[in-house]
Amino acid sequence: MIREELSEVPEYVPGKSVEEIKRAYGLKRVVKLASNENPYGASPKVFEVVKNFRDFHVYPPKNPVELKERISEYVNFPEEMIVVGDGLDGVLENVFKMFVSKGDTVAIPIPTFPYYEILAKIYGARIKFLRRNENFETIEFDEKAKLTIICSPNNPTGNVENFEFVREVAESVKGVVFIDEAYAEFTEKRLTKLAEYENVIVGRTFSKAFGLANLRVGYAIMNENFAKEYMKVCPPFPISTLAILAAITALDDIEYVKRTVEKIVTERNRLEKALGKYFEVYPSEANFVYVEAENSDSVCYELERRGVIVRNLKNFRGVRNGIRISVGKPEENDFLLKTLEEIF
Ligand code: PMP
């Protein structure tokens, strides 16, 4: 009875949890550097809001106007162009619902975030995998694609795409270009401005720099007509009021976010240098570092059983011997480096 398309769909596999690894190896200290979370967490002001929340019995608003206003100020696009969803994952699903019918072509540069491929398969799309150069910049596109995905900074490789190239893609393709900027706050080299094009959608999230991954708040910038259609495919109450208030409060305390991003970027630069002793390291514009090693499988295993969780990318399409390491707090990164020294 299950739709035939699902036979081709792999399940999304998240990073392993601290609890899981503590139990598996009987460890007291486990550091998780596997899901690109903000190790400093959300602004303390968010904790106050959550503590005082009482309206659990009331449905959230269908259209969270105040949050949209605040996002509009933050990204500098009119409020009519902002839509929200339950995480950027939720926004992505809505975008697929809007544009992808069975047999349409979805173009995906690889390696990249695996959820795009999962969604494309769920919607019965024909997938065109696009090639990247040795720096992982996308170097081709498909003019006929109904939907082209650009992830910048790219998960898992950490590089940004060339602005002029993506502009060319937007001007050349017949369909829509979705630019996933989940990690926008960690780089200066953003593509957000390209949302000025009618056929470009830019997606963002509160899960990374804002430290709200657990509350599931994502958003996108898209032209006004698209934004109206989005409201048809979006489930009735995508984000809880608690999450809406938390996101607004996180935006109020943007100075906190900036401070944590600064610390993460400083640590990222330190890790990039230090990891060079063991791996081939690729420069990153995100809050994680992509490395390669012949023996990546055993490195991940040896790290894990000593209490360091990193992301083994062996199931990522187009990756060979890749490991993605999220940037933690200085003491967490020290623990990683000490453990690597022990292993090597
Ligand atoms: N896009 C990319 C590139 C990501 O890495 C992630 C997080 N795994 C997402 C989207 C989804 O983020 P969210 O938590 O907002 O659903």
Side-chain angles (χ1 to χ4, degrees), residues 61-307:
K62 179 168 189 298
N63 187 18
V65 180
E66 192 185 345
L67 176 59
K68 285 187 179 179
E69 278 170 14
R70 301 302 308 279
I71 292 171
S72 149
E73 286 161 22
Y74 175 59
V75 295
N76 219 357
F77 275 91
E79 191 199 321
E80 293 74 23
M81 289 181 71
I82 309 297
V83 299
V84 295
D86 57 332
L88 186 45
D89 288 338
V91 172
L92 269 162
E93 154 125 57
N94 291 334
V95 166
F96 272 77
K97 275 197 214 169
M98 284 171 76
F99 299 104
V100 183
S101 302
K102 194 170 176 171
D104 283 346
T105 299
V106 174
I108 306 174
I110 50 168
T112 196
F113 181 47
Y115 194 47
Y116 314 133
E117 180 176 340
I118 293 176
L119 283 170
K121 286 182 167 161
I122 292 174
Y123 285 86
R126 197 190 305 254
I127 305 177
K128 163 91 179 167
F129 293 112
L130 303 176
R131 283 173 300 146
R132 299 174 180 271
N133 66 14
E134 68 282 5
N135 303 319
F136 293 114
E137 289 162 323
T138 304
I139 49 171
E140 60 173 353
F141 56 88
D142 179 344
E143 281 173 23
K144 292 188 288 299
K146 187 75 193 294
L147 178 63
T148 302
I149 306 278
I150 295 288
C151 184
S152 183
N154 185 44
N155 176 8
T157 52
N159 62 294
V160 289
E161 297 285 3
N162 179 290
F163 188 92
E164 288 308 322
F165 172 77
V166 182
R167 185 208 294 275
E168 189 192 336
V169 176
E171 287 178 357
S172 312
V173 294
K174 289 208 186 71
V176 168
V177 179
F178 184 89
I179 304 177
D180 182 332
E181 284 203 320
Y183 301 97
E185 282 81 4
F186 301 101
T187 182
E188 312 265 285
K189 299 172 196 156
R190 298 185 195 123
L191 305 175
T192 324
K193 213 171 132 22
L194 292 171
E196 285 169 3
Y197 282 84
E198 291 277 299
N199 65 335
V200 172
I201 299 174
V202 173
R204 295 272 196 96
T205 180
F206 283 85
S207 296
K208 309 297 177 184
F210 288 89
L212 293 179
N214 202 293
L215 286 181
R216 317 300 305 128
V217 190
Y219 60 96
I221 312 163
M222 57 178 71
N223 81 54
E224 238 178 273
N225 286 332
F226 282 0
K228 283 199 187 103
E229 295 295 314
Y230 180 97
M231 293 310 282
K232 294 185 190 166
V233 299
C234 185
F237 310 104
I239 317 178
S240 72
T241 305
L242 187 61
I244 292 168
L245 292 174
I248 292 171
T249 310
L251 278 171
D252 279 341
D253 200 5
I254 195 74
E255 286 309 315
Y256 173 88
V257 176
K258 284 187 182 154
R259 278 200 303 279
T260 62
V261 166
E262 249 169 56
K263 285 195 262 191
I264 291 166
V265 169
T266 304
E267 278 296 290
R268 175 182 82 202
N269 297 338
R270 176 170 82 101
L271 267 188
E272 278 178 355
K273 286 200 193 84
L275 290 169
K277 188 168 170 194
Y278 315 102
F279 305 110
E280 171 142 22
V281 181
Y282 289 80
S284 170
E285 294 282 336
N287 64 340
F288 52 83
V289 182
Y290 174 81
V291 303
E292 285 175 356
E294 293 267 311
N295 51 352
S296 56
D297 250 358
S298 61
V299 172
C300 290
Y301 169 70
E302 293 298 334
L303 280 171
E304 195 172 289
R305 69 188 191 91
R306 290 170 173 84

